[in-house]
Amino acid sequence: MKAATGARRAVKFRWTWFDIFNSALLLCLMVVTLYPFANMAAVSLNEAVDTTLGSNFIWPRAFTLYNYEVILKDSIIYHAFMISVLRTVIGTVTSVFCTAMLAYTLSRPEFMLRGAISLLFVLTMYFSGGLIPVYMLIKSMGLTNSFWVYIIPGLVGAFNLIVMRSFIEGLPESLVESAKIDGANDFGIFIRIILPLCMPAIATVSLFVAVGQWNNWFDTFLYNSSNVQLSTLQYELLKKLQSANMSIGSSATSAFLNNQNADANQVTPTSMRAAITMLATLPILFVYPFLQKYFVKGMTLGGVKE
Amino acid sequence: MELKVHRPAVKPRAGRTAVLWKRIKQQKLLLLMSVPFVGYVFIFNYMPLWGWLMAFQNYKLGTSIMNNEWVGLTHFRELFQDEMFIQVLRNTLAMSVINLVFGFVSSITLALMLNEVRKLLFKRFVQTISYLPHFISWVVAANLIMTVFSLDGVVNAVLLQLNIIKEPILLLSEPKAFWWMIGISNVWKEVGWNAIIYLAAMAMINPSLYEAAEIDGAGRFRKMWSITLPSMVPLIAILLIMNIGRLLDAGFEQQYLLMNTMVVDYAETIDIYVLKYGINLSRYSFATAAGIFKSVICIILLVSANQLAKRMGHSRLF
């Protein structure tokens, strides 16, 4: 028997032309996916003047950290970075807590408003009031020019709510029942029993919310663009991108260089943009691979919508 | 469970309000934990619908919706007479269809390819990499895409090297190419992520089907074609319904960030049009009318696609 399975396994792992072709295509895909990042990273770590000689490389030719030094010493960029961190942390903690709490109540079979509230949230996935009415609402509530516009409007989303509720419904009912017999109330059960058991769902929803918060530039653009104190890293990057877009066609860097003496300690818009882009990418790069197991499961849970 | 079933029935004398009151008392914590969010979803998701009334008025900033002049369908009439709007509608539909076709074909192909990889470590590795672009913002993505397609970018270098072009070209400034550039950018960003759900479905297929096919002498392409793909039809149908409902949602960020003055006639979508008229030009009523047009078409498309799927006997959304 053992020999038979061993033989089958050996057959299974023989490389056929199909496997070689398939793997080669997947490798190409990886190169296409990764090259832009590698290139951007290399440019951000390369001396700005050297980059103007041609920027198609994935390893810095003349290594320097000067580009990062410049952007981190820039008070506007630094402040925007801090606001981005703050909105990500506060936004994620509040949103995940509220989503989990609401999901717990909606998972209780005896709860009288279970169906009604679920429907109220699920419907929001199929329609929206549209940009202008929402804008007017936020404005009339006095949320423009405030940090809270980053936190409050996105507090509980229907998709995350469904992911969380499906997960809680999968937990054994006896946990809640025995705690009730012991005299625990619903809030206590949620905090002490459900929350610690929900960690996989919490990891998934946290990732979705945190990435959404970190990446959002549109709310800054729409509601807080007049207040530089509330600017975010993505919005500052957008401004740099747009000024580069203005000069599309003419090489901005060479025009810049013509007016300056070539000097190793110098930055160009291109190099600065590369460094800010990396600053906006690195936190994501360090987080998502470790949560892969969870969010793949979360996606399939949320995909089965009621 | 037993306890629940044999709970003594409420005395018939007690009125319905008394029963309700008792349940409210029993569930007061559950109510406290959830009712604030009813208020929240009502304010942020349902209140804006009230703002739709603006589309039938000449709304002025700082006035109440009730005290404005009613103008009926004037804004809608103006909308359909606006050549810009027709152009924007064309762009939206074109990019939507391109995104739909590219998106489905690419993610199903990737899922099929990954499903055939037998080295699990390699499969995991490819998947991890393929998710990366999904998690970055469109601002970062636009930066990367513009660098790659710039005059001295890698795409031009490769095309020159292969003698396909004689001089570097700015693909993002070619009006005719812009729709396709958006399609390609979307594939690059989302293909790995969209493949997740197909891979999950492929993992659910009963292995005995493949074994039986093997005994019948089916090769790998044959197994893919005759087992894997047919097993995915219900999932593809439901995802198609969801996407047809979003046919007027060609995206906003990617066009807004990647466009420049050279391609503006081909890049603007309905969302950008609404933003331009509503926020930049402060024509709130007119922009709301354009937004309503989009929402109503979305709902009509969604409901009809759902009916169609029901008639064809596939699983449906609602």
Side-chain angles (χ1 to χ4, degrees):
Chain A
M1 201 57 207
K2 242 183 183 169
T5 44
R8 195 192 285 164
R9 192 166 294 157
V11 170
K12 239 185 165 180
F13 274 97
R14 204 177 60 200
W15 282 77
T16 61
W17 280 108
F18 181 92
D19 287 315
I20 293 168
F21 182 68
N22 194 19
S23 306
L25 263 180
L26 287 172
L27 275 173
C28 285
L29 179 86
M30 283 206 287
V31 170
V32 170
T33 308
L34 283 181
Y35 177 85
F37 291 99
N39 178 231
M40 198 55 87
V43 169
S44 75
L45 289 169
N46 200 48
E47 278 175 15
V49 179
D50 183 75
T51 303
T52 59
L53 303 173
S55 55
N56 287 324
F57 49 82
I58 55 169
W59 198 254
R61 279 185 306 231
F63 180 84
T64 177
L65 285 173
Y66 187 68
N67 299 322
Y68 286 95
E69 219 179 300
V70 171
I71 61 160
L72 289 175
K73 273 187 188 153
D74 183 325
S75 64
I76 291 177
I77 303 279
Y78 181 75
H79 193 266
F81 178 75
M82 293 318 280
I83 293 283
S84 279
V85 170
L86 211 60
R87 71 173 286 180
T88 305
V89 172
I90 297 177
T92 308
V93 171
T94 52
S95 171
V96 169
F97 182 79
C98 292
T99 306
M101 189 162 76
L102 184 61
Y104 168 71
T105 68
L106 298 183
S107 77
R108 298 304 309 144
E110 76 273 14
F111 182 39
M112 55 203 282
L113 293 180
R114 170 190 158 98
I117 298 179
S118 297
L119 184 69
L120 215 53
F121 273 89
V122 168
L123 279 182
T124 64
M125 295 203 286
Y126 299 110
F127 74 90
S128 102
L131 177 74
I132 305 300
V134 172
Y135 174 79
M136 307 293 267
L137 177 79
I138 301 278
K139 218 175 153 107
S140 69
M141 292 176 79
L143 279 173
T144 44
N145 269 321
S146 104
F147 180 75
W148 298 107
V149 78
Y150 298 145
I151 310 295
I152 296 171
L155 198 58
V156 179
F159 182 82
N160 292 338
L161 187 65
I162 290 172
V163 170
M164 204 71 113
R165 194 192 64 183
S166 312
F167 189 87
I168 297 175
E169 280 171 351
L171 296 173
E173 171 67 17
S174 54
L175 283 171
V176 177
E177 273 177 12
S178 56
K180 279 208 168 146
I181 290 167
D182 291 344
N185 62 32
D186 277 305
F187 190 70
I189 294 171
F190 165 66
I191 296 285
R192 264 176 262 130
I193 297 170
I194 301 296
L195 217 48
L197 286 173
C198 274
M199 279 308 157
I202 288 179
T204 309
V205 173
S206 299
L207 178 74
F208 292 163
V209 177
V211 166
Q213 283 284 0
W214 179 257
N215 282 345
N216 203 336
W217 57 273
F218 193 58
D219 51 12
T220 317
F221 165 77
L222 210 52
Y223 306 119
N224 287 342
S225 55
S226 55
N227 189 346
V228 76
Q229 289 296 312
L230 292 166
S231 189
T232 53
L233 189 63
Q234 302 285 346
Y235 189 59
E236 288 306 315
L237 182 58
L238 168 79
K239 285 198 228 163
K240 294 265 186 284
L241 180 73
Q242 279 180 336
S243 59
N245 214 347
M246 293 291 222
S247 50
I248 200 158
S250 68
S251 184
T253 45
S254 55
F256 178 87
L257 272 186
N258 287 338
N259 301 327
Q260 308 277 326
N261 296 320
D263 172 3
N265 275 357
Q266 195 175 292
V267 284
T268 58
T270 308
S271 296
M272 256 182 101
R273 211 148 50 85
I276 302 173
T277 306
M278 289 321 290
L279 195 62
T281 309
L282 283 174
I284 288 171
L285 209 58
F286 284 122
V287 173
Y288 91 91
F290 303 100
L291 295 172
Q292 188 171 341
K293 189 171 75 194
Y294 299 119
F295 68 69
V296 169
K297 209 172 275 169
M299 274 302 286
T300 29
L301 267 183
V304 195
K305 290 179 196 113
E306 273 182 45
Chain B
M1 283 317 267
E2 286 296 302
L3 273 175
K4 253 187 192 167
V5 175
H6 294 294
R7 197 167 44 189
V10 185
K11 282 178 193 161
R13 252 190 302 141
R16 286 181 70 182
T17 35
V19 178
L20 185 69
W21 194 242
K22 200 177 164 206
R23 280 187 79 193
I24 289 176
K25 261 183 149 171
Q26 266 172 2
Q27 300 182 354
K28 63 173 187 291
L29 263 177
L30 285 176
L31 284 167
L32 267 175
M33 286 161 75
S34 60
V35 169
F37 298 106
V38 174
Y40 158 82
V41 76
F42 184 75
I43 291 172
F44 286 99
N45 290 292
Y46 290 89
M47 281 271 280
L49 293 180
W50 180 247
W52 278 21
L53 289 179
M54 277 191 294
F56 307 97
Q57 305 178 324
N58 272 330
Y59 182 79
K60 283 178 211 74
L61 198 63
T63 56
S64 152
I65 281 190
M66 293 326 295
N67 307 332
N68 275 285
E69 177 199 356
W70 294 87
V71 295
L73 295 174
T74 314
H75 294 301
F76 289 92
R77 220 167 289 136
E78 194 186 339
L79 194 64
F80 294 117
Q81 282 162 2
D82 184 6
E83 267 173 49
M84 274 291 290
F85 184 70
I86 305 301
Q87 181 178 302
V88 157
L89 205 57
R90 176 203 65 185
N91 295 342
T92 309
L93 281 172
M95 280 185 268
S96 252
V97 171
I98 290 174
N99 285 342
L100 193 71
V101 174
F102 277 26
F104 267 80
V105 172
S106 65
S107 48
I108 294 172
T109 311
L110 177 64
L112 281 171
M113 286 166 68
L114 281 170
N115 198 41
E116 293 296 324
V117 173
R118 289 141 165 202
K119 302 268 183 201
L120 278 180
L121 205 67
F122 181 64
K123 185 177 167 183
R124 277 284 302 274
F125 188 63
V126 176
Q127 277 183 283
T128 308
I129 304 258
S130 72
Y131 300 147
L132 172 60
H134 170 79
F135 287 110
I136 58 163
S137 68
W138 265 111
V139 181
V140 169
N143 252 307
L144 299 177
I145 291 163
M146 280 166 60
T147 309
V148 166
F149 287 106
S150 66
L151 278 179
D152 48 4
V154 68
V155 171
N156 271 312
V158 169
L159 290 178
L160 282 173
Q161 199 62 227
L162 295 174
N163 271 324
I164 294 171
I165 50 170
K166 293 274 171 289
E167 268 175 21
I169 45 169
L170 264 176
L171 278 169
L172 283 165
S173 298
E174 290 291 326
K176 293 278 175 225
F178 192 81
W179 293 346
W180 306 100
M181 298 300 290
I182 289 290
I184 293 168
S185 309
N186 268 323
V187 168
W188 178 77
K189 197 165 182 302
E190 301 298 338
V191 63
W193 186 255
N194 290 337
I196 289 183
I197 194 146
Y198 296 110
L199 272 168
M202 286 175 189
M204 309 271 272
I205 299 173
N206 190 343
S208 62
L209 287 176
Y210 291 107
E211 281 161 25
E214 256 167 64
I215 292 167
D216 289 345
R220 291 175 81 169
F221 277 111
R222 188 60 210 254
K223 278 190 279 180
M224 265 194 235
W225 184 253
S226 302
I227 298 173
T228 316
L229 274 178
S231 311
M232 312 266 288
V233 168
L235 177 69
I236 295 175
I238 199 165
L239 291 177
L240 208 58
I241 295 172
M242 288 168 75
N243 280 299
I244 283 175
R246 297 200 195 104
L247 211 55
L248 289 190
D249 238 336
F252 159 77
E253 291 185 57
Q254 55 270 56
Q255 288 88 356
Y256 185 81
L257 294 168
L258 285 172
M259 75 179 181
N260 54 60
T261 46
M262 318 264 288
V263 293
V264 86
D265 287 345
Y266 288 85
E268 282 189 338
T269 60
I270 296 183
D271 294 316
I272 297 178
Y273 183 85
V274 170
L275 182 79
K276 209 164 82 175
Y277 279 93
I279 308 292
N280 298 354
L281 301 174
S282 295
R283 292 186 59 190
Y284 300 109
S285 290
F286 184 66
T288 307
I292 291 177
F293 171 77
K294 187 188 145 189
S295 295
V296 169
I297 299 284
C298 269
I299 290 169
I300 293 173
L301 283 173
L302 192 69
V303 172
S304 18
N306 195 47
Q307 288 299 319
L308 194 71
K310 204 194 284 182
R311 204 164 298 163
M312 292 188 331
H314 292 311
S315 49
R316 53 190 188 276
L317 208 55
F318 46 81

